Amino acid sequence: MAVTVKSAKEIELMREAGRLLEKVHDEMGQMIRPGISTMDINEYGDKLIRKMGCIPNFLNYGGYPASICVSVNEEVVHGIPRRDRILQEGDIVSLDAGLIYKGYHSDAARTYTVGKVSEEVQRLLDVTKQSFFEGIKMARAGNHLFDISAAIDDYIHQFGYGIVEDLVGHGIGTSLHEDPQVPNFRQKRRGMKLVPGMTLAVEPMINLGTFEVVWQKDKWTVTTKDHKPSAHYENTILITDGEPEILTLHR
Ligand code: MF3
Ligand code: CO
């Protein structure tokens, strides 16, 4: 599929899709505490998205059975919400969510702490989030796509964390996943030239230990091979004439 460049009108719709998803994340983030189940988060997120008149784009995507991906500790992404998966003090939980507003998709992820976590784990979360910001410093018209990948890789390298390679970011628009793929690790090529109007989901997935991941028997849940924790941070961004616009974050 070709890479799409959005018109001014489409960008307006992408902005609104992003703004609404940011609200969903903020609300879900406030409910995180020991004792709630991963299904509680999914049900609340699903309800918020529908109340906005939007559609949860993850539900039934390739057969995925929920609206929000809820991944705990060593789960990297695509954790399936469960009523019997109860969050405990010291856990981390990654929430990945997306919605469709008037035909346009947004996609974003955050990792939260449940109560107090170790300094080591808190640093993993902080560094994962910062790696997104390091990456998008390069997300400017005239630069090349894999400049983003290299910037994330360079920043993460000093911490010795594992960068997940089996899952990557992506273009986004009238589909959740459009070309191009956006890896979070250095590439041999430069990739395509970035132009204003491209919208990308940039989403580093960073492991405390090995970069290697495994798919669980449920066919969805991706976990670290060494069972050490993993963090995820994602926003939908717009390439402009200047700095990138973060459509799912306004702070
Ligand atoms: N945010 C995920 C991504 O970027 C989407 C979740 S996959 C789904 O690929 F199946 F749950 F939708
Ligand atoms: Co995504």
Side-chain angles (χ1 to χ4, degrees), residues 58 61 64 69 78 96 107 170 177 203 220 234:
F58 294 2
Y61 183 91
Y64 184 75
C69 297
H78 305 169
D96 191 350
D107 184 6
H170 50 93
H177 292 142
E203 50 178 318
W220 281 104
E234 173 182 28

Side-chain angles (χ1 to χ4, degrees), residues 37-190:
S37 73
T38 57
M39 183 60 85
D40 290 335
I41 300 167
N42 175 68
E43 287 177 348
Y44 187 53
D46 180 275
K47 197 177 77 182
L48 290 166
I49 291 168
R50 293 181 195 281
K51 255 195 352 212
M52 292 167 166
C54 298
I55 300 166
N57 47 7
F58 294 2
L59 183 61
N60 299 322
Y61 183 91
Y64 184 75
S67 296
I68 314 295
C69 297
V70 187
S71 308
V72 182
N73 296 338
E74 76 274 15
E75 296 173 353
V76 179
V77 287
H78 305 169
I80 298 175
R82 281 165 38 185
R83 217 164 283 292
D84 63 353
R85 186 66 171 95
I86 308 296
L87 298 183
Q88 316 253 351
E89 175 96 21
D91 284 343
I92 57 170
V93 61
S94 300
L95 307 186
D96 191 350
L99 59 78
I100 312 171
Y101 170 76
K102 295 188 180 171
Y104 285 82
H105 291 247
S106 53
D107 184 6
R110 318 268 186 254
T111 301
Y112 294 102
T113 57
V114 184
K116 213 175 153 40
V117 303
S118 69
E119 259 176 57
E120 185 185 41
V121 169
Q122 184 63 58
R123 193 175 68 149
L124 172 69
L125 270 52
D126 296 343
V127 167
T128 299
K129 182 173 179 176
Q130 186 58 33
S131 75
F132 164 85
F133 290 99
E134 295 297 326
I136 69 160
K137 283 179 189 169
M138 303 306 290
R140 299 176 78 102
N143 284 357
H144 289 79
L145 180 67
F146 298 150
D147 294 339
I148 301 173
S149 312
I152 294 171
D153 197 334
D154 286 350
Y155 178 70
I156 292 295
H157 181 258
Q158 62 190 306
F159 300 95
Y161 296 151
I163 302 176
V164 175
E165 297 186 359
D166 290 352
L167 298 128
V168 296
H170 50 93
I172 180 168
T174 53
S175 304
L176 172 59
H177 292 142
E178 296 186 353
D179 280 342
Q181 294 198 1
V182 186
N184 298 301
F185 53 102
R186 184 176 282 281
Q187 305 295 298
K188 291 199 177 71
R189 294 182 227 264
R190 297 191 295 179

